[in-house]
């Protein structure tokens, strides 16, 4: 489950890029707003582990302040935050190599977030597709926090001067906005203080789709549990969901072009490729001509071999919540040691008496 997979060139940024004054540092976050899915795992966590194991400085955060932009039951939020931490560690992240922590224990995120609320423009926020999707027609009733969400996200990244952010495709627009905020801050104050962070959106499964509808993203909020694989699913559940996953009647093509109008087929091949650490083209050249009745059992074997040990390790870690809390507390202290001087310098640049 934790075997080091060769990271792609962009996922292994140079340890000290010659032209940049900023040290290479990776930050990413996941909301503890529900269970983890295979989408989170393949789009984000698997890459987090690769980057950690390539020796770069890595910070991974449970963004609980983001989670409360929509209603969260307090007990469930605590549970989900611990479960997310357990998922991180079960997948191979370790406090020995990465800084693992929850956002609310590092107050500098919210403090820099406020400064960025004053840098970002209302129009920028209003154009965010995630805001439009989540607020929908009922924007008047959405929380102010949901609207300002991307400014806090920019603060998460920039309070560490992070240079690279591994995410799935759905976060691309938010990361562009983080660059816009950094650039406007630097311009307005005449400094080169915040880096223009690079998104790292790579691999075969940057957008894992629902198992019931290949045109919809796999999501923790999908009402049908059969639409997603949860990281807490055991071997039987994983096998059942893949066996029942929607497909079409045709055999697998020999070329990725042959998947163009077949979203469900494309999704299963992409999941296979991401799990195997290879490309869609490589999977097709091995399985061309196979019907799904032959391909699905192979996919089940691969998924169960990788995911079932993660789910049982998560359950083991969740049996000792105090140990998870201790680990998060220590991670927060280490994170604060980086964030506090950057926030202090930001306040100084803005003109606050220090
Ligand atoms: P969140 O919590 O929705 O998702 C966490 C990560 O999982 C990826 N992801 C997917 N990737 C591929 N296919 C899918 N179906 C899929 N579903 C989710 C997401 O792209 C993401 O990388 N706004 C962020 C959290 C955040 C953050 C940050 C991320 C807050 N601050 C700073 C990076 C840096 C979010 O809601 O992710």
């Amino acid at each position: 489950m934790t075997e080091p997979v060769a990271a792609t060139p962009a996922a292994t940024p140079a340890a000290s890029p010659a032209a940049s004054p900023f040290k290479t540092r990776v930050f990413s976050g996941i909301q503890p707003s529900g269970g983890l899915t295979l989408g989170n795992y393949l789009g984000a966590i698997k890459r987090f582990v690769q980057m950690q194991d390539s020796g770069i400085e890595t910070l991974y955060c449970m963004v609980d302040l983001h989670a409360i932009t929509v209603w969260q039951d307090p007990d469930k939020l605590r549970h989900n935050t611990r479960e997310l931490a357990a998922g991180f560690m079960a997948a191979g992240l370790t406090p020995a190599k990465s800084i693992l922590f929850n956002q609310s224990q590092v107050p500098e995120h919210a403090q820099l977030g406020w400064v960025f609320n004053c840098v970002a423009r209302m129009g920028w926020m209003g154009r965010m597709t995630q805001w439009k999707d989540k607020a929908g027609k009922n924007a008047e009733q959405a929380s102010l926090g949901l609207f300002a969400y991307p400014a806090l996200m920019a603060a998460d990244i920039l309070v560490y001067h992070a240079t690279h952010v591994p995410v799935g495709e759905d976060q691309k627009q938010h990361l562009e906005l983080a660059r816009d905020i950094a650039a406007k801050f630097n311009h307005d104050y005449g400094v080169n203080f915040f880096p223009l962070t690079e998104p790292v959106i790579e691999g075969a499964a940057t957008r894992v789709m629902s198992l019931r509808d290949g045109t919809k993203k796999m999501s923790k909020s999908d009402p049908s549990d059969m639409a997603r694989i949860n990281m807490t699913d055991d071997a039987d559940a994983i096998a059942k969901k893949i066996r029942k996953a929607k497909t079409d009647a045709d055999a697998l093509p020999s070329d990725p072009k042959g998947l163009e109008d077949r979203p469900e087929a494309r999704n299963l091949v992409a999941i296979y490729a991401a799990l195997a650490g290879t490309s869609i083209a490589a999977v097709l050249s091995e399985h061309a001509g196979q019907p799904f009745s032959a391909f699905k059992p192979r996919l089940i074997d691969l998924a169960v071999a990788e995911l079932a040990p993660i789910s049982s390790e998560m359950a083991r870690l969740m049996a000792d919540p105090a140990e998870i809390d201790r680990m998060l507390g220590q991670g927060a202290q280490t994170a604060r040691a980086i964030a506090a001087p950057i926030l202090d310098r930001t306040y100084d640049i803005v003109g606050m008496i220090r």
Side-chain angles (χ1 to χ4, degrees):
M1 102 195 117
T2 61
E3 89 276 49
V5 183
T8 59
T12 324
S16 49
S20 167
F22 300 102
K23 175 173 178 264
T24 299
R25 185 177 280 152
V26 169
F27 177 93
S28 199
I30 297 189
Q31 295 193 69
S33 51
L36 284 167
T37 69
L38 182 66
N40 299 128
Y41 179 66
L42 295 178
I45 298 174
K46 201 171 152 84
R47 188 164 297 280
F48 295 178
V49 179
Q50 288 173 353
M51 293 180 108
Q52 164 194 270
D53 291 344
S54 72
I56 311 166
E57 186 179 10
T58 44
L59 295 107
Y60 298 121
C61 183
M62 284 118 254
V63 289
D64 49 4
L65 296 172
H66 276 112
I68 62 162
T69 56
V70 297
W71 168 252
Q72 303 292 331
D73 175 83
D75 286 332
K76 279 197 191 138
L77 180 60
R78 269 184 285 272
H79 172 88
N80 289 339
T81 306
R82 292 186 182 118
E83 193 174 79
L84 178 52
F88 276 6
M89 288 192 288
L93 296 178
T94 159
K97 296 188 190 167
S98 289
I99 303 171
L100 307 176
F101 65 105
N102 63 316
Q103 190 185 28
S104 61
Q105 287 198 71
V106 180
E108 286 79 5
H109 289 239
Q111 290 173 290
L112 184 61
W114 179 260
V115 176
F116 287 170
N117 281 345
C118 303
V119 173
R121 306 289 97 180
M122 300 277 285
W124 300 0
M125 301 296 180
R127 283 192 284 277
M128 294 292 110
T129 50
Q130 201 151 310
W131 157 253
K132 290 188 213 163
D133 288 350
K134 284 200 176 173
K137 292 193 172 64
N138 212 9
E140 291 287 314
Q141 291 306 316
S143 75
L144 191 52
L146 189 66
F147 190 66
Y149 181 114
L152 179 60
M153 184 163 157
D156 295 337
I157 299 163
L158 294 170
V159 83
Y160 301 102
H161 278 180
T163 55
H164 294 79
V165 182
V167 283
E169 213 172 274
D170 60 349
Q171 296 302 313
K172 189 165 182 250
Q173 196 186 28
H174 283 160
L175 292 183
E176 282 162 6
L177 192 109
R179 289 168 69 95
D180 290 342
I181 289 177
K184 182 164 163 52
F185 182 97
N186 288 344
H187 173 267
D188 289 354
Y189 292 100
V191 291
N192 182 22
F193 185 63
F194 287 116
L196 302 188
T197 304
E198 294 288 340
V200 180
I201 305 174
E202 287 180 347
T206 56
R207 191 172 172 82
V208 178
M209 308 309 275
S210 153
L211 298 179
R212 309 301 306 162
D213 176 353
T215 63
K216 264 173 54 187
K217 194 179 77 165
M218 182 181 284
S219 155
K220 44 195 156 198
S221 55
D222 195 307
S224 164
D225 194 54
M226 292 301 284
R228 64 178 161 263
I229 292 174
N230 305 302
M231 280 182 72
T232 46
D233 285 346
D234 63 13
D236 288 347
I238 296 168
K240 182 173 158 204
K241 288 175 180 180
I242 295 177
R243 221 177 295 120
K244 299 212 162 189
K246 190 174 168 200
T247 46
D248 54 43
D250 294 343
L252 285 175
S254 56
D255 190 86
K257 278 210 172 92
L259 292 174
E260 263 165 23
D261 297 318
R262 300 172 62 189
E264 284 85 12
R266 191 187 183 287
N267 189 37
L268 293 188
V269 174
I271 290 173
Y272 188 106
L275 285 168
T278 181
S279 65
I280 290 179
V283 175
L284 291 179
S285 72
E286 198 187 326
H287 297 276
Q290 281 184 7
F292 276 97
S293 56
F295 182 72
K296 277 184 172 179
R298 304 284 303 276
L299 177 58
I300 290 171
D301 289 346
L302 199 60
V304 167
E306 182 150 340
L307 301 173
I310 297 180
S311 88
S312 54
E313 177 63 1
M314 279 173 78
R316 193 189 69 77
L317 292 166
M318 283 300 279
D320 190 355
E323 175 53 22
I324 295 179
D325 294 0
R326 193 197 57 78
M327 188 276 295
L328 291 177
Q330 279 198 344
Q333 275 187 23
T334 314
R336 283 198 84 177
I338 304 172
I342 293 177
L343 179 73
D344 197 55
R345 178 77 187 112
T346 308
Y347 277 175
D348 185 39
I349 291 170
V350 168
M352 282 147 187
I353 294 172
R354 310 309 304 139

